[in-house]
Amino acid sequence: MTALAAGGGLIAIGGATAFVMNARDLSGYQEAVNATWRHSDSTDLPPSSAQRELVRYATLAANSHNTQPWQFRLSDRSILVLPDSRRRLPAVDPDDHHVFASLGCAVENMVQAARAFGLRAVPRYDPDERGIRVDLEAAPPERTDLFDAIPHRQSTRTVYDGRSVPPEHLRLLEAAGNGQGVRMLLFTERKQREEILSYLVAGNSAQMDDVAFVEELKSWIRFSYGSALSTRDGLFSKSSGNPVLPDWIGRLILNLVFTKEAENRNYESQLRSSAGVAVFVSDKNEPAYWAEAGRCSQRFALQATALQLRHAFINQPVEVPAVRGQFATYLGIGDRRPDLVMRFGYGPELPRSLRRPVEHVILRT
Ligand SMILES: Cc1cc2nc3c(=O)[nH]c(=O)nc-3n(C[C@H](O)[C@H](O)[C@H](O)COP(=O)(O)O)c2cc1C
């Protein structure tokens, strides 16, 4: 029996079991999604409740493998956003670049949400704390398109429809994606997508050959509604367009069908169906700049969402050091570090990921 036939058989068994489980767990999952991806009932709140809501909005940000590697320390007029070292990813992210980029994504959501709550949020990296201090000042309340987009944003890992984005919308994306010490490069030509694809395939091939990378990734995949609901973190199969299965079957099938060739083929069709690629490049290879790159990518993602565009990170070209160097040469950015890579385009919505409750990420002082 070939591996694929065995995989097919297991998918059939898994599918039948999943059908029974789905009926029980689907409604629980949907309830959790509805409770997670929502706007606050009110933006006119006393300071302590407003701060809690700002943290909730922050947790809705993109973050590497959905580990949610953040903690928040609240004080009178500021919120300190700190890395949670228990949730780092040593194989894919040995220097914590993605941890700080994820903190930056969370901070950007906080900045956008603060305005709606009548606050101005001013973030700055604090090297003594190794975190980002967000100072809060009173300001006239303002509800922006980017704020409205926060609960609608998602990483959409599927094939898009190939349509291109009108120039006036590209200009809005460009305005959103640049920051202090971080520049965004935008690629919309077919030839450029093919060139970037070669770095994506090189990075993905290296990662699929790396046992530590694959084991780490697998440990964060949640195959069933039950495991996604109990941890409220990680990569839910269904959010990547894969079937929901009992976890033991999911892990078995993954070993059979998750191959370098299959993944490379997926990335080819995903990138070729996209309207373009954004690459975020910081001036200095330091945590403060990694966080700023995260902020820019999150702002870009919110602006894309506000324009009804989908997006997904394709970071393989920047995660494998040897490929990252070649990619930097292709980009013509000298010795600067390309931080993050994102594709965008028009496509369907996929089922959503979950987040841990706010109480789990607020530090008691
Ligand atoms: C720094 C960083 C790196 C990421 N890298 C990838 C990636 O290479 N591939 C991918 O599909 N998603 C990547 N993501 C997206 C996360 O997996 C995603 O944000 C997380 O699973 C939560 O899902 P959501 O964005 O739909 O809320 C990355 C996110 C961040 C912030």
Side-chain angles (χ1 to χ4, degrees):
M1 196 192 291
T2 65
L4 268 182
L10 281 169
I11 286 172
I13 301 167
T17 320
F19 182 74
V20 178
M21 291 175 64
N22 282 356
R24 208 181 49 219
D25 293 331
L26 177 62
S27 66
Y29 192 82
Q30 204 46 55
E31 261 172 47
V33 164
N34 295 343
T36 304
W37 295 98
R38 61 175 176 83
H39 272 300
S40 305
D41 295 335
S42 166
T43 49
D44 184 15
L45 295 174
S48 63
S49 310
Q51 283 203 0
R52 193 186 171 284
E53 281 303 280
L54 293 190
V55 171
R56 192 179 67 76
Y57 277 104
T59 64
L60 299 183
N63 66 94
S64 192
H65 283 19
N66 199 21
T67 65
Q68 305 163 37
W70 40 53
Q71 293 178 311
F72 301 84
R73 181 170 291 138
L74 313 187
S75 42
D76 264 3
R77 287 199 186 84
S78 73
I79 299 176
L80 188 59
V81 186
L82 294 164
D84 183 343
S85 58
R86 297 163 301 182
R87 293 177 166 264
R88 56 191 300 276
L89 297 165
V92 68
D93 188 30
D95 62 2
D96 284 350
H97 172 280
H98 282 4
V99 169
F100 283 95
S102 300
L103 297 191
C105 293
V107 165
E108 185 57 32
N109 269 14
M110 202 179 266
V111 167
Q112 298 298 336
R115 296 170 72 175
F117 286 84
L119 293 164
R120 196 167 86 92
V122 185
R124 75 189 147 79
Y125 182 73
D126 182 336
D128 297 331
E129 297 279 5
R130 271 198 106 225
I132 304 159
R133 185 176 298 284
V134 183
D135 289 326
L136 300 167
E137 305 159 3
E142 189 190 357
R143 205 179 165 114
T144 63
D145 288 351
L146 299 198
F147 169 68
D148 280 335
I150 293 176
H152 303 290
R153 185 209 59 82
Q154 65 163 214
S155 300
T156 312
R157 297 183 195 85
T158 190
V159 173
Y160 301 159
D161 70 8
R163 269 187 297 151
S164 46
V165 175
E168 65 274 22
H169 289 178
L170 288 177
R171 277 194 290 278
L172 287 173
L173 292 172
E174 222 147 11
N178 282 286
Q180 282 182 347
V182 175
R183 201 152 55 92
M184 188 196 68
L185 310 174
L186 208 52
F187 299 94
T188 54
E189 303 294 325
R190 183 194 298 258
K191 178 172 171 292
Q192 295 170 324
R193 283 204 299 277
E194 290 301 316
E195 288 162 354
I196 292 170
L197 179 59
S198 69
Y199 298 99
L200 174 54
V201 167
N204 185 58
S205 300
Q207 288 181 330
M208 296 293 289
D209 287 338
D210 177 346
V211 175
F213 169 87
V214 173
E215 286 307 312
E216 181 176 84
L217 177 63
K218 276 191 208 164
S219 74
W220 285 98
I221 296 180
R222 310 288 177 245
F223 292 97
S224 66
Y225 286 118
S227 62
L229 269 171
S230 68
T231 62
R232 295 191 179 229
D233 63 14
L235 302 159
F236 182 39
S237 305
K238 218 163 191 270
S239 303
S240 303
N242 295 316
V244 174
L245 296 166
D247 288 274
W248 68 272
I249 295 181
R251 266 190 290 278
L252 258 177
I253 289 174
L254 195 74
N255 290 337
L256 297 171
V257 299
F258 186 58
T259 65
K260 180 167 40 177
E261 293 72 24
E263 283 298 288
N264 282 339
R265 272 197 305 277
N266 282 341
Y267 283 120
E268 279 170 19
S269 44
Q270 289 180 6
L271 188 47
R272 287 182 176 143
S273 69
S274 301
V277 175
V279 182
F280 301 86
V281 180
S282 56
D283 284 347
K284 289 191 187 164
N285 192 13
E286 295 172 8
Y289 288 78
W290 305 340
E292 181 66 19
R295 282 193 66 189
C296 292
S297 72
Q298 180 73 14
R299 207 158 50 236
F300 178 95
L302 293 176
Q303 179 63 79
T305 305
L307 295 168
Q308 314 297 327
L309 281 160
R310 304 271 169 228
H311 67 276
F313 282 102
I314 40 166
N315 281 321
Q316 290 83 349
V318 298
E319 288 172 347
V320 178
V323 180
R324 183 162 71 227
Q326 294 162 10
F327 190 50
T329 306
Y330 164 72
L331 297 171
I333 55 171
D335 58 4
R336 285 187 299 162
R337 176 175 184 158
D339 289 279
L340 298 165
V341 188
M342 199 182 256
R343 67 186 177 94
F344 59 92
Y346 300 96
E349 190 174 353
L350 288 189
R352 291 185 162 265
S353 59
L354 291 181
R355 294 296 188 272
R356 289 175 297 146
V358 169
E359 295 70 37
H360 288 208
V361 294
I362 293 183
L363 287 171
R364 311 253 156 251
T365 40

